[in-house]
Amino acid sequence: MRPAVLVTGAARRLGRHLALYLARQGHDLAVHHRQPGEADALSLAAELAQLGARAALLPADLSDEAAVEALVPAAVAQLGRLDAVVNSASLFSEDRIETFRADTLARHLGPNTAAPLLLARALHRHCEAAGHAGCVVNVLDQKLWNPNPDHLSYTLSKAALQAATPLLAMALAPRVRVCAVALGLTLPSGPMSEAEFEAAHRLTPLGRASTPDDFAAAVAYLLGAPGVTGSTLLVDGGQHLAAQPRDVYYLVKKEGA
């Protein structure tokens, strides 16, 4: 039986790229997406089938604890097993201390921090019952090593997930390994133009930040590395080594002004 991986936020952007990459590597996919019947999720399932992978479509709001708790059992019911969870989905919105509100932070902590912990625990329960090993990969951000005050609530929620990664690795060993990948600028976001994205992508020691293939290859490595747990791979072209006072979007906006 092919190994099965649950990828949150798999219908779009990096999650979609990762799902297709893992299918080519011989995995079946539990495709988490937000709304039932999403066209992006349906088209992804068709692409995965063309690659020979089975796909379980699992709609859920990651801020709803009960919905999150149901994801792993639903994946197992449809695929027969589950070997890994990749916590790729994130809420990402802009705020700074000047605009910070407690409810904004709370909205980020649900999907970005609490949901990954709940899914890690659920995977551990399944692996214990099934008698096989598992792996969790949390998706982080290089800005945790290269801080700036933009996207404050998002950053705090990811900092909490960063701290949780080694704690989970200790708590869920030896049955489940828990690792993380921290990315630099990988895809355009928000109102960023293609030219601005290319300029921002070059603001690294290597002259290029992370690409979707870099991300997928890093996740695939961690899924297949039985001796690695509690570790974070920074996949960002060295962006975390270049101190930046603001998010790169605002830096290239300033340069182009």
Side-chain angles (χ1 to χ4, degrees):
M1 182 180 289
R2 292 162 61 107
V5 182
L6 167 61
V7 178
T8 65
R12 299 185 180 92
R13 292 172 62 83
L14 283 179
R16 187 186 190 95
H17 190 91
L18 176 62
L20 292 168
Y21 188 101
L22 293 177
R24 296 185 188 100
Q25 299 288 317
H27 293 79
D28 290 330
L29 275 300
V31 174
H32 160 261
H33 55 106
R34 186 172 176 86
Q35 299 290 343
E38 280 184 54
D40 288 337
L42 294 172
S43 66
L44 174 60
E47 290 185 63
L48 293 171
Q50 290 177 352
L51 294 170
R54 292 184 301 153
L57 297 183
L58 305 175
D61 179 352
L62 294 183
S63 64
D64 181 334
E65 183 171 349
V68 174
E69 291 276 20
L71 282 173
V72 167
V76 174
Q78 293 192 48
L79 299 176
R81 64 180 291 144
L82 191 66
D83 299 272
V85 172
V86 180
N87 289 302
S88 178
S90 289
L91 176 62
F92 179 78
S93 63
E94 170 59 5
D95 67 338
R96 291 169 60 85
I97 189 58
E98 296 85 356
T99 59
F100 174 80
R101 292 175 55 91
D103 62 345
T104 305
L105 176 58
R107 284 191 290 107
H108 282 78
L109 287 171
N112 294 3
T113 311
L117 270 68
L118 292 169
L119 290 172
R121 183 177 67 185
L123 178 67
H124 182 263
R125 287 173 176 166
H126 165 65
C127 291
E128 282 279 281
H132 64 73
C135 181
V136 173
V137 179
N138 295 322
V139 180
L140 303 176
D141 193 308
Q142 65 79 34
K143 73 173 295 184
L144 300 173
W145 288 260
N146 174 21
N148 64 68
D150 295 312
H151 307 102
L152 178 59
S153 293
Y154 162 82
T155 303
L156 292 172
S157 68
K158 286 295 187 177
L161 186 58
Q162 175 194 13
T165 297
L167 302 181
L168 289 171
M170 296 170 67
L172 304 183
R175 183 64 69 183
V176 171
R177 299 180 297 110
V178 183
C179 307
V181 173
L183 297 177
L185 181 67
T186 308
L187 291 174
S189 61
M192 182 178 283
S193 69
E194 189 62 33
E196 289 164 348
F197 172 73
E198 291 300 328
H201 205 256
R202 291 192 296 269
L203 293 178
T204 67
L206 294 184
R208 47 92 80 188
S210 44
T211 68
D213 274 349
D214 293 334
F215 164 60
V219 172
Y221 163 73
L222 290 173
L223 293 178
V228 179
T229 194
S231 300
T232 298
L233 290 180
L234 279 89
V235 182
D236 65 350
Q239 187 178 348
H240 68 285
L241 301 173
Q244 294 165 330
R246 296 209 65 188
D247 185 89
V248 288
Y249 170 71
Y250 296 105
L251 297 179
V252 296
K253 275 289 188 184
K254 182 177 180 181
E255 290 175 2

